[in-house]
Amino acid sequence: MSSSLLPSLSHCCQRERFNFVLQHGLKGSRSLSTKASEVLPVTTVLPKPRLDYRAISESIVYKSHNAFNRKAPLPIGALQSVKRLSSKLGLKRHARSNLGEKMRKIKDPIEKQAVLEEAKLLKVEVTDLEHELMTVEDILLGLALQIPNDTHPDVPLGPEEAAVVLSTHGSDPIAANGNRDHMNVGRALGILDFEAGATVTGSSWYYLLGEAALLEMALTNYALSIALKHGFRFVTTPDVVRADIALRCGFQPRDQNTDPPTSQMYHIASSNPSHPELVLSGTAEIPLGGMFANQIFMEQVLPLKVVGLGRSFRAEAGARGTDTRGLYRVHQFSKLELFVVCSEDTSEQAMEELRGVQTDIFKGLNFPFRVLDMPTEELGATAYRKYDMEAWMPGRGSWGEISSTSNCTDYQARRLHIRYRRSSGTPKHAPPSSSSASTQSAPAILFAHTLNGTAAAIPRLIVALIENGAKFDQEGKPVGLDLPSTLKPFWHGTSSIIQWT
């Protein structure tokens, strides 16, 4: 379908475009015959995701509008057909049950035989419907896995430019200046080597030398110390994960919506087809989420708060340009990740606590930064709400993302089977997540909510520190770096180019 067929995106006709999408689907939407077997990896150690089909079928228009606002392709026809078929099957099963009850009450042999014949015909009909439903349920799961999480009512509507600034921190931003570009400064000081990285591996690979390598270690341990003070438990994670775990966390190892399909992760080849498909983790969020998979926790032990250190691997570093220059967007980097498992009624509070931890970390680094409430088109599939933190990077001449925090409600938990047992009675009020347990009749075991936040994405922090802290001589040549004294306790050795401030 040509994009020219879609009405204009102006506010006055947004409703008309949404109605058009309801009838025709979004450009790039998958076929209505997409099956779970085509979405989930064949090899898995976990049960199938437990999605809330009732919530989906009872709010098709909302789910469609939500996906539209988030730029997530969502075919509509299959969800409606599954609702119809499930309802029809339920009626037939009910009718069969009623016939059984009727049979027990009938005494007349002739009348009983007539009812028996009716029951036989109904049994065949129900059996056929059950076979049909098995196929459609597989299609439903495949499609439902593509449905994004619901959206917090306070989230701004629209693209990245619609983000709302929640707070600003630090001193006033210094003027943009190309001389402060971290690549130029890093090369002049002999602490960054992109040429060797390109020779050894390729573009968007790099070496940190001397003070830059020590800066990575200091940043990691500094951020870790803050997380520990806030009650997080330190974890080192595997950097290799099953593709199935990545997918259940909301990451697409392969993007089938592109032509041809593109790989967003590095895949590890295996000579044995029976072995599980493995990928290099794109973030420690994936192995941290997988660590809690297929478990039931007592509510009393929640929240579970961990901070994980791992290497992140991104296959798509992007085209060359300002937004991907140098360390800003690379294929591999160290990352310290915060992860929380909590009850359904405490996730919004947990999100504010994560934001507080991140704010504490970045305030100690003495560069200007701000916190943004990200709009619908920037939420991805998993986030109910997402905050981004951006640092001022004068060499780039713009704000650059250094961190994000996402409340995923039960989106990941339903796919990973992360649950908890209520310690008392009826569930409390919960945010209207994609499948909130509050729609159920007070079950004893509920799906947990998960949250994640970046404590330290090392290359981005190095960019911000170099570009804000670079020192120049009278000729404008970089001669050193001013670094925040909060890092000094975590620094090894001495340096002639570092001055602590």
Side-chain angles (χ1 to χ4, degrees):
M1 183 188 300
S2 170
S3 59
S4 63
L5 295 177
L6 294 174
S8 167
L9 266 177
S10 63
H11 181 74
C12 64
C13 66
Q14 189 169 3
R15 169 58 60 180
E16 287 78 3
R17 185 173 188 265
F18 172 60
N19 291 334
F20 184 92
V21 171
L22 278 177
Q23 298 177 32
H24 301 283
L26 282 168
K27 179 182 179 183
S29 296
R30 293 192 191 181
S31 163
L32 296 184
S33 63
T34 300
K35 296 182 179 180
S37 57
E38 298 172 3
V39 178
L40 289 171
V42 176
T43 305
T44 179
V45 295
L46 297 179
K48 284 187 177 181
R50 287 265 304 277
L51 307 184
D52 192 341
Y53 298 126
R54 177 183 295 179
I56 294 171
S57 63
E58 289 178 353
S59 54
I60 288 178
V61 173
Y62 168 76
K63 299 290 184 184
S64 304
H65 203 170
N66 182 56
F68 169 76
N69 287 337
R70 294 168 71 129
K71 296 295 184 184
L74 177 60
I76 303 302
L79 300 182
Q80 293 170 324
S81 68
V82 168
K83 177 183 177 182
R84 172 188 56 78
L85 186 59
S86 298
S87 176
K88 184 178 179 181
L89 178 60
L91 290 173
K92 292 294 184 183
R93 283 174 173 164
H94 182 67
R96 183 174 63 181
S97 176
N98 286 343
L99 278 176
E101 189 66 27
K102 187 177 180 181
M103 284 280 291
R104 285 189 289 273
K105 294 179 179 179
I106 294 175
K107 303 299 182 182
D108 182 13
I110 297 177
E111 185 181 356
K112 198 166 190 175
Q113 184 62 35
V115 174
L116 185 60
E117 292 300 321
E118 182 183 354
K120 287 180 180 179
L121 291 174
L122 187 60
K123 182 179 180 181
V124 172
E125 190 173 353
V126 170
T127 300
D128 290 343
L129 276 171
E130 285 176 337
H131 285 307
E132 185 180 353
L133 186 66
M134 286 178 62
T135 300
V136 176
E137 281 181 338
D138 189 40
I139 295 173
L140 172 61
L141 179 58
L143 289 168
L145 288 170
Q146 302 172 63
I147 299 173
N149 202 346
D150 285 354
T151 304
H152 191 286
D154 293 340
V155 168
L157 182 67
E160 184 178 3
E161 294 73 24
V164 174
V165 177
L166 298 177
S167 61
T168 58
H169 306 268
S171 58
D172 292 336
I174 61 178
N177 184 346
N179 292 333
R180 289 184 170 272
D181 174 72
H182 72 280
M183 289 185 71
N184 296 335
V185 174
R187 283 180 173 130
L189 297 178
I191 60 176
L192 301 179
D193 191 339
F194 297 96
E195 290 73 23
T199 299
V200 171
T201 314
S203 62
S204 297
W205 298 84
Y206 58 96
Y207 283 86
L208 300 180
L209 310 174
E211 285 82 356
L214 291 171
L215 182 56
E216 170 168 324
M217 303 305 295
L219 283 167
T220 301
N221 286 293
Y222 160 72
L224 176 59
S225 72
I226 301 294
L228 294 176
K229 288 178 183 177
H230 285 269
F232 284 79
R233 187 185 188 191
F234 184 40
V235 178
T236 58
T237 65
D239 292 332
V240 177
V241 297
R242 292 175 184 259
D244 177 51
I245 297 295
L247 186 64
R248 290 171 189 257
C249 287
F251 294 83
Q252 291 284 348
R254 290 189 176 89
D255 187 354
Q256 300 294 337
N257 288 321
T258 61
D259 187 19
T262 58
S263 179
Q264 299 179 353
M265 291 183 169
Y266 289 104
H267 294 254
I268 299 176
S270 173
S271 58
N272 189 334
S274 65
H275 288 173
E277 183 181 7
L278 298 176
V279 296
L280 296 181
S281 180
T283 167
E285 173 192 343
I286 299 172
L288 289 176
M291 186 172 70
F292 299 105
N294 211 22
Q295 297 187 60
I296 300 174
F297 301 96
M298 295 302 298
E299 186 178 22
Q300 294 92 324
V301 307
L302 301 181
L304 299 169
K305 305 192 298 183
V306 293
V307 53
L309 176 62
R311 292 277 190 168
S312 298
F313 297 87
R314 308 286 173 87
E316 77 310 342
R320 296 296 87 199
T322 302
D323 209 40
T324 59
R325 179 174 169 80
L327 292 176
Y328 192 79
R329 196 177 303 277
V330 291
H331 290 299
Q332 173 188 324
F333 56 97
S334 297
K335 185 163 174 270
L336 196 66
E337 185 78 5
L338 305 166
F339 194 89
V340 175
V341 176
C342 66
S343 60
E344 62 170 10
D345 48 299
T346 61
S347 62
E348 291 198 42
Q349 176 186 344
M351 186 175 189
E352 296 308 315
E353 291 175 356
L354 281 178
R355 174 183 167 186
V357 175
Q358 293 167 312
T359 301
D360 284 353
I361 292 171
F362 302 135
K363 275 185 175 179
L365 297 180
N366 293 348
F367 50 61
F369 70 96
R370 62 185 186 178
V371 183
L372 306 176
D373 195 357
M374 298 308 290
T376 51
E377 293 181 21
E378 294 294 310
L379 296 182
T382 62
Y384 174 65
R385 190 175 196 177
K386 182 162 82 84
Y387 298 149
D388 275 5
M389 295 192 178
E390 296 182 338
W392 174 246
M393 300 177 179
R396 298 177 71 246
S398 63
W399 296 90
E401 180 188 342
I402 56 171
S403 177
S404 67
T405 301
S406 296
N407 181 359
C408 299
T409 62
D410 62 355
Y411 184 95
Q412 293 175 328
R414 283 188 170 273
R415 289 156 173 76
L416 292 168
H417 290 263
I418 305 173
R419 296 174 289 171
Y420 70 100
R421 191 184 300 275
R422 273 280 189 206
S423 56
S424 61
T426 305
K428 304 172 186 176
H429 173 73
S433 64
S434 62
S435 47
S436 173
S438 60
T439 63
Q440 305 172 16
S441 55
I445 297 177
L446 309 175
F447 284 98
H449 283 195
T450 62
L451 303 94
N452 64 83
T454 308
I458 299 302
R460 296 283 179 93
L461 295 182
I462 291 177
V463 171
L465 288 169
I466 290 178
E467 296 195 355
N468 284 282
K471 296 192 301 180
F472 302 87
D473 62 16
Q474 292 182 346
E475 298 177 355
K477 179 183 177 181
V479 293
L481 292 175
D482 285 337
L483 291 181
S485 57
T486 49
L487 296 178
K488 189 174 182 180
F490 307 97
W491 192 269
H492 293 280
T494 59
S495 170
S496 60
I497 66 170
I498 302 298
Q499 182 173 336
W500 303 104
T501 60

